[in-house]
């Protein structure tokens, strides 16, 4: 496949903190981490998803003016960014593992209509749902 | 008009929001997440203030500035959402639904539920059980549930007052 969505970004409050979270806690891998002056292009990848990158971007100059960056930081911190979904094979096992690693869970695993979902946040406030589909087998 | 509805109306007056730091907002979000995580539990201001590291005196105002809704009303929306889910998805008795969603009286639950949704818990259950089946294959269920949350932009007392006024007018 050579066409498709390649990078989707989330805003984070601090690159290093986000990197530690997504790599050390969630088990993602760094795909690209390059700088141009103060600007840092940082993307990570799920280990089983080589064609997709999750970009970790800190809002600010030179891309955004300071006031806009401040607004975005507030929106991220109050958890108002759009939903993110992580597909997992075993939601309860992933929950136990991530929680033991210090991930901030907002919802314990719940089974609904054959799926199991749990909720967590990254340090910046981005909310993730972790969903295991089709457990009725 | 009694004191409480005057107060409720006063709360709805548009107000310039204070600028809040991302650090404060992130901590307030933790209080909101706590409500989400266990909306059936009691959430007095003192407990929420402790979760977010804000003084009791400032908590309700800070929460409203951040999320546009007072904490007690946000809690109510989550309890109604939970109650509607239990009514829709389980065969628990209405009494059990009331207690599991966080009410300690069936009467208060029935009255509040009707004020917010416009119908009784029993009528709601009958109507929704049939409709739910068709939607659930098309959207992840957890988001579908969140989209069913009541949009409580006014206080329940105010909503009740307006409804009775409309009835009197009609």
């Amino acid at each position: 496949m050579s066409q498709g969505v390649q990078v989707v970004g989330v805003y984070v409050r601090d690159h290093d903190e986000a990197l530690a979270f997504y790599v050390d806690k969630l088990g993602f891998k760094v795909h690209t981490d390059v700088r141009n002056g103060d600007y840092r292009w940082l993307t990570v990848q799920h280990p089983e998803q080589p064609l997709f990158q999750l970009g970790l971007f800190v809002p600010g100059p030179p891309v955004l003016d300071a006031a806009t960056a401040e607004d975005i930081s507030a929106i991220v911190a109050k958890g108002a960014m759009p939903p993110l979904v992580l597909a997992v094979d075993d939601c309860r096992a992933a929950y136990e593992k991530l929680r033991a690693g210090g991930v901030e869970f907002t919802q314990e695993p719940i089974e609904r209509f054959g799926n199991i979902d749990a909720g967590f946040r990254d340090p910046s406030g981005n909310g993730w749902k972790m969903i295991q589909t089709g457990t009725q087998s | 008009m009694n004191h409480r509805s005057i107060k409720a109306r006063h709360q709805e007056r548009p107000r310039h929001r204070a600028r809040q730091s991302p650090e404060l907002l992130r901590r307030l979000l933790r209080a909101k997440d706590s409500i989400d995580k266990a909306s059936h539990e009691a959430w007095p201001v003192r407990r929420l203030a402790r979760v977010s590291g804000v003084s009791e005196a400032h908590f309700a105002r800070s929460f409203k500035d951040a999320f546009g809704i007072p904490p007690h009303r946000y809690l109510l929306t989550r309890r109604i959402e939970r109650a509607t889910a239990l009514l829709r998805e389980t065969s628990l008795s209405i009494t059990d639904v009331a207690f599991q969603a966080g009410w300690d009286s069936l009467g208060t639950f029935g009255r509040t539920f009707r004020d917010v949704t416009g119908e009784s818990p029993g009528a709601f259950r009958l109507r929704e059980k049939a409709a739910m089946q068709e939607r659930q294959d098309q959207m992840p269920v957890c988001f579908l549930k969140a989209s069913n949350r009541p949009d409580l932009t006014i206080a329940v007392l105010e909503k009740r007052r307006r409804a009775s006024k409309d009835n009197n007018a009609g």
Side-chain angles (χ1 to χ4, degrees):
Chain A
M1 188 195 77
S2 58
Q3 301 188 88
V5 179
Q6 187 178 40
V7 179
V8 173
V10 293
Y11 281 123
V12 296
R13 63 186 181 187
D14 180 272
H15 279 125
D16 292 332
E17 179 187 60
L19 191 60
F21 178 80
Y22 283 96
V23 172
D24 300 342
K25 292 204 158 116
L26 291 196
F28 284 49
K29 311 234 175 289
V30 177
H31 180 279
T32 308
D33 187 359
V34 292
R35 292 165 199 258
N36 183 15
D38 286 339
Y39 186 72
R40 185 172 177 185
W41 176 266
L42 171 63
T43 69
V44 295
Q45 270 190 326
H46 189 280
E48 295 178 29
Q49 211 173 11
L51 297 179
F52 181 80
Q53 300 166 52
L54 181 70
L56 306 174
F57 302 117
V58 173
V63 180
L64 298 171
D65 65 280
T68 303
E70 202 180 328
D71 288 343
I72 291 173
S73 300
I75 290 167
V76 173
K78 64 169 91 173
M81 293 301 274
L84 300 159
V85 177
L86 189 66
V88 291
D89 290 335
D90 185 337
C91 186
R92 291 200 174 92
Y95 167 78
E96 293 302 337
K97 180 167 169 258
L98 296 181
R99 197 178 56 140
V103 172
E104 180 181 344
F105 272 86
T106 54
Q107 182 212 301
E108 292 171 9
I110 296 178
E111 181 160 5
R112 341 188 196 220
F113 305 105
N115 297 335
I116 303 179
D117 66 84
F120 64 87
R121 288 199 189 282
D122 76 5
S124 303
N126 291 298
W128 285 86
K129 283 280 181 185
M130 191 163 72
I131 303 180
Q132 171 189 357
T133 50
T135 57
Q136 286 171 335
S137 56
Chain B
M1 188 185 296
N2 64 32
H3 258 8
R4 293 186 66 184
S5 57
I6 291 168
K7 191 179 167 206
R9 248 191 351 169
H10 173 73
Q11 281 181 354
E12 308 317 323
R13 203 169 289 165
R15 177 183 169 278
H16 179 71
R17 288 186 184 187
R19 216 187 235 298
Q20 296 169 296
S21 73
E23 293 73 24
L24 171 63
L25 291 167
R26 184 67 183 85
R27 285 186 281 115
L28 291 167
L29 178 61
R30 222 157 260 143
K32 184 165 174 271
D33 283 342
S34 302
I35 292 176
D36 290 342
K37 203 172 179 177
S39 62
H40 60 286
E41 291 181 12
W43 287 103
V45 166
R46 179 156 47 110
R47 188 178 177 201
L48 290 167
R50 203 183 316 130
V51 168
S52 53
V54 174
S55 80
E56 251 182 275
H58 289 112
F59 176 78
R61 172 55 69 194
S62 300
F63 188 97
K64 190 177 178 210
D65 281 343
F67 303 114
I69 182 172
H72 63 276
R73 198 187 302 160
Y74 181 69
L75 175 61
L76 179 59
T77 68
R78 297 311 317 266
R79 285 183 176 174
I80 294 284
E81 179 190 346
R82 174 98 180 110
T84 57
L86 291 171
L87 289 167
R88 196 186 289 121
E89 294 156 24
T90 72
S91 48
L92 289 170
S93 72
I94 305 244
T95 308
D96 286 342
V97 169
F99 290 135
Q100 287 199 20
W103 276 272
D104 47 20
S105 136
L106 183 58
T108 310
F109 169 62
R111 198 164 54 245
T112 309
F113 191 92
R114 191 194 296 265
D115 286 339
V116 174
T117 68
E119 59 191 333
S120 73
F124 174 86
R125 166 173 270 173
L126 280 178
R127 190 175 52 72
E128 278 290 308
K129 275 218 161 176
M132 186 66 186
Q133 202 60 38
E134 295 184 16
R135 298 179 209 140
Q136 62 177 265
D137 294 331
Q138 295 159 39
M139 210 194 290
V141 177
C142 43
F143 294 114
L144 176 60
K145 287 181 67 149
S147 71
N148 282 324
R149 192 175 303 168
D151 186 16
L152 263 192
T153 53
I154 57 172
V156 171
L157 281 168
E158 174 67 6
K159 192 163 176 168
R160 194 179 295 165
R161 197 186 62 83
R162 287 186 195 172
S164 73
K165 201 172 145 192
D166 288 348
N167 288 342
N168 293 343

